[in-house]
C-alpha cells in the first residue's frame, strides 16, 4: 500500500513513552477523491508526537484522487459499494501491522483517524474485525464526517467496546453525508459501551479549526494521560 509518514516531533516523550521505546502510531485514512497527503496537516497538529502513517486509498478515480470504495449511481441516487469497501479493508488489516513495524511504530498503541469514506472504513474495521488478531491494538478512534455503513449494522450489536474512546464529529450543513449520521453513530456505539465524544460544528463537509482544537484536548484527556 502507498502511504506517507511523519516522524514524531523531538523534544518530548509521547503518550507515556519511555526513552528508547517505539512511538505510538496515528493511522490516517483520507476521504473520497483526495490522497494520503490531504489530512497530514490536521494529523500533525493533533498527533505531532506520534508516528503518523497516512494511507492512500487503492481505487484511482478517473478525475483524480483516490477512493476507499466506489459510489454507484442508481435510479434512487448514489449508493456506496460494499464490495470494494471490504476489499480495501482487507488490504488494510493484512498490511497495517507489517507497515507499522517497518516504520518503527508501536503496534500496541494505535489511534485510527478517518474523514468521510475513511471514517466509514475505520468504523467497519473496529466493528467487523478483531484487530488484535491482525497484530494491532487500537487505543482510540477519530471519525470525522463519516457514517456507520449500512451492511454492518447487525454486526455492531455483537460488538463490545467497553470504554473504548471515540471522537466523532459532523458538520450541521453537510450536504454529502446527512448530519443524522452523527447521532446514529453516537447511539449505536454508546449502546455497545463505547466512550463516545460527539460534536456537531457549523460547517459543511469539512473540518474547522475548532474541531482540531477539540480533538487535541480530547487526545490529552483520553490517550496521553
Amino acid at each position: 500500500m502507498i502511504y506517507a509518514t511523519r516522524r514524531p516531533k523531538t523534544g518530548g516523550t509521547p503518550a507515556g513513552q519511555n526513552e528508547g521505546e517505539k512511538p505510538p502510531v496515528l493511522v490516517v485514512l483520507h476521504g473520497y477523491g483526495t490522497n494520503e497527503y490531504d489530512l497530514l496537516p490536521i494529523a500533525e497538529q493533533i498527533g505531532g508526537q506520534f508516528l503518523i502513517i497516512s494511507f492512500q486509498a487503492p481505487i484511482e478515480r478517473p478525475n483524480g484522487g483516490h477512493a476507499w470504495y466506489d459510489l454507484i449511481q442508481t435510479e434512487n441516487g448514489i449508493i456506496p459499494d460494499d464490495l470494494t469497501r471490504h476489499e480495501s479493508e482487507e488490504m488494510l488489516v493484512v498490511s497495517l501491522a507489517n507497515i507499522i513495524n517497518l516504520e518503527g511504530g508501536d503496534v500496541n498503541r494505535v489511534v485510527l483517524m478517518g474523514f468521510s469514506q475513511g471514517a466509514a472504513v475505520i468504523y467497519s474495521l473496529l466493528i467487523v474485525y478483531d484487530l488484535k488478531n491482525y497484530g494491532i491494538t487500537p487505543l482510540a478512534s477519530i471519525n470525522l464526517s463519516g457514517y456507520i455503513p449500512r451492511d454492518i449494522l447487525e454486526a455492531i450489536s455483537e460488538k463490545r467496546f467497553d470504554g473504548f474512546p471515540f471522537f466523532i464529529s459532523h458538520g450541521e450543513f453537510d450536504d454529502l453525508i446527512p448530519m443524522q449520521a452523527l447521532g446514529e453513530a453516537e447511539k449505536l456505539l454508546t449502546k455497545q459501551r463505547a466512550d463516545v465524544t460527539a460534536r456537531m460544528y457549523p460547517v459543511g463537509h469539512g473540518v474547522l479549526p475548532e474541531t482540531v482544537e477539540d480533538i487535541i484536548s480530547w487526545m490529552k484527556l483520553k490517550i496521553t494521560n
Side-chain angles (χ1 to χ4, degrees):
M1 296 193 73
I2 297 172
Y3 58 90
T5 61
R6 293 293 184 269
R7 299 296 165 184
K9 293 178 181 177
T10 58
T13 302
Q17 179 183 338
N18 295 319
E19 194 70 28
E21 287 184 345
K22 294 180 178 181
V25 179
L26 179 61
V27 168
V28 181
L29 306 185
H30 63 77
Y32 183 80
T34 61
N35 59 39
E36 67 273 28
Y37 295 101
D38 184 56
L39 294 177
L40 277 180
I42 292 174
E44 289 180 286
Q45 289 182 69
I46 69 173
Q49 293 188 345
F50 284 64
L51 168 65
I52 299 168
I53 305 178
S54 183
F55 286 88
Q56 176 185 283
I59 301 171
E60 187 170 356
R61 297 178 62 247
N63 296 327
H66 294 78
W68 294 102
Y69 48 90
D70 291 323
L71 300 177
I72 302 172
Q73 181 68 55
T74 72
E75 60 182 16
N76 296 318
I78 297 174
I79 62 171
D81 178 51
D82 296 331
L83 177 60
T84 49
R85 195 192 80 244
H86 291 311
E87 290 173 348
S88 292
E89 291 164 4
E90 288 291 334
M91 291 177 65
L92 283 165
V93 295
V94 301
S95 302
L96 274 175
N98 287 337
I99 291 172
I100 291 171
N101 280 318
L102 178 66
E103 297 297 334
D106 188 346
V107 292
N108 293 312
R109 291 186 295 165
V110 178
V111 177
L112 304 172
M113 182 178 84
F115 174 79
S116 192
Q117 276 201 354
V121 168
I122 286 175
Y123 277 133
S124 191
L125 291 179
L126 290 169
I127 291 167
V128 175
Y129 298 86
D130 185 347
L131 294 181
K132 290 185 178 180
N133 290 338
Y134 294 88
I136 304 161
T137 303
L139 294 180
S141 181
I142 303 167
N143 300 66
L144 310 173
S145 300
Y147 65 97
I148 296 178
R150 304 294 88 188
D151 66 316
I152 64 171
L153 290 178
E154 183 176 345
I156 195 174
S157 65
E158 301 175 0
K159 187 79 174 188
R160 287 282 297 272
F161 284 106
D162 295 329
F164 183 86
F166 284 86
F167 182 98
I168 63 176
S169 72
H170 217 92
E172 61 178 309
F173 307 120
D174 194 329
D175 59 355
L176 296 179
I177 299 175
M179 66 177 183
Q180 288 81 5
L182 179 73
E184 179 187 66
E186 180 181 18
K187 180 179 179 181
L188 291 171
L189 294 170
T190 300
K191 185 177 180 181
Q192 302 311 119
R193 301 188 180 183
D195 177 4
V196 182
T197 299
R199 296 285 186 269
M200 186 77 72
Y201 297 94
V203 69
H205 196 64
V207 179
L208 292 176
E210 292 85 346
T211 312
V212 177
E213 293 171 3
D214 287 346
I215 295 172
I216 291 170
S217 298
W218 174 85
M219 293 269 283
K220 291 178 180 177
L221 180 65
K222 300 295 183 179
I223 301 170
T224 59
N225 287 341

